Amino acid sequence: TGHGAFTLIEADDGRLFFIYMDPRWPPDVLQALRQNDLSMPAGEAIGAVVFADALLEALPGVTHLTIFTDSSATAVGIQTSSSPSPQMNVLMDWLMQRNPSTQFMALHQPGKRNGAADSLSRKDSASVLADAKAAGAIPIRLPLEPHAIDLMRVAMTHSQRPRPSRTVQEA
């Protein structure tokens, strides 16, 4: 139904902030995911890159960002700044071009360790926010910027896989 991401930041004064994003997919993007016109790995990567970009916008001066994701394709794409998938390359290029001074590292986490982000992506933000508040964190929701929606639509115009450079001829 959407994508979710979060981070915990401790301020200099000791306050703990739960910074998160839980937007729903725009209808055309959701349809592209359901019809497999936009790959699921690209959908997972969208969540990671738009959150990373929004977080870097909200926290100027950050020079290094570690991204934990349950998508191995996203982790590899961010680590290498590339992918064999044209859709994924659109996303990686966008993130790196918008944040050229940031060093990114991405680590794959098994899905079972990704419960909070998955809950945020599935309209269960209330329980995640209740847990964050119970832990003493102050929730801050980052907005999904219009340029992030434009990015999704640009990625949808690209193929999921590279086009073959030559045709296979039958024997």
Side-chain angles (χ1 to χ4, degrees), residues 18 116 125-137:
F18 179 84
S125 298
S127 68
V128 175
L129 294 176
D131 289 346
K133 289 175 185 175

Side-chain angles (χ1 to χ4, degrees), residues 1 3 16 21 23 25 45 53 87 100-101 107 120 126 130 141 160 164:
T1 58
H3 49 97
L16 183 63
M21 186 179 272
W25 294 113
D53 185 67
Q87 287 180 351
S101 300
L107 300 170
L120 290 169
R141 184 175 188 250
Q160 290 185 27

Side-chain angles (χ1 to χ4, degrees), residues 105-159:
M105 181 168 57
L107 300 170
H108 176 256
Q109 295 293 306
K112 65 184 177 185
R113 295 180 63 188
N114 197 43
D118 282 345
S119 290
L120 290 169
S121 74
R122 294 186 179 116
K123 296 185 182 180
D124 191 19
S125 298
S127 68
V128 175
L129 294 176
D131 289 346
K133 289 175 185 175
I138 302 164
I140 298 175
R141 184 175 188 250
L142 294 179
L144 181 64
E145 298 293 339
H147 63 262
I149 296 170
D150 294 340
L151 170 67
M152 296 175 201
R153 292 181 175 136
V154 169
M156 289 170 22
T157 68
H158 290 75
S159 64

Side-chain angles (χ1 to χ4, degrees), residues 17-145:
F17 294 96
F18 179 84
I19 303 173
Y20 72 102
M21 186 179 272
D22 63 349
R24 303 302 102 206
W25 294 113
D28 58 327
V29 177
L30 180 59
Q31 181 178 359
L33 282 163
R34 288 180 174 159
Q35 294 176 340
N36 202 29
D37 294 328
L38 182 64
S39 71
M40 184 48 72
E44 294 279 351
I46 286 168
V49 302
V50 301
F51 182 70
D53 185 67
L55 186 63
L56 292 168
E57 184 76 23
L59 301 171
V62 171
T63 59
H64 296 72
L65 186 63
T66 303
I67 299 168
F68 295 91
T69 175
D70 64 352
S71 166
S72 58
T74 299
V76 169
I78 291 170
Q79 281 295 104
T80 63
S81 301
S82 68
S83 168
S85 163
Q87 287 180 351
M88 294 284 283
N89 275 329
V90 166
L91 304 170
M92 298 309 133
D93 289 348
W94 180 85
L95 180 64
M96 303 309 159
Q97 288 171 9
R98 284 185 51 85
N99 302 282
S101 300
T102 305
Q103 187 173 38
F104 293 95
M105 181 168 57
L107 300 170
H108 176 256
Q109 295 293 306
K112 65 184 177 185
R113 295 180 63 188
N114 197 43
D118 282 345
S119 290
L120 290 169
S121 74
R122 294 186 179 116
K123 296 185 182 180
D124 191 19
S125 298
S127 68
V128 175
L129 294 176
D131 289 346
K133 289 175 185 175
I138 302 164
I140 298 175
R141 184 175 188 250
L142 294 179
L144 181 64
E145 298 293 339

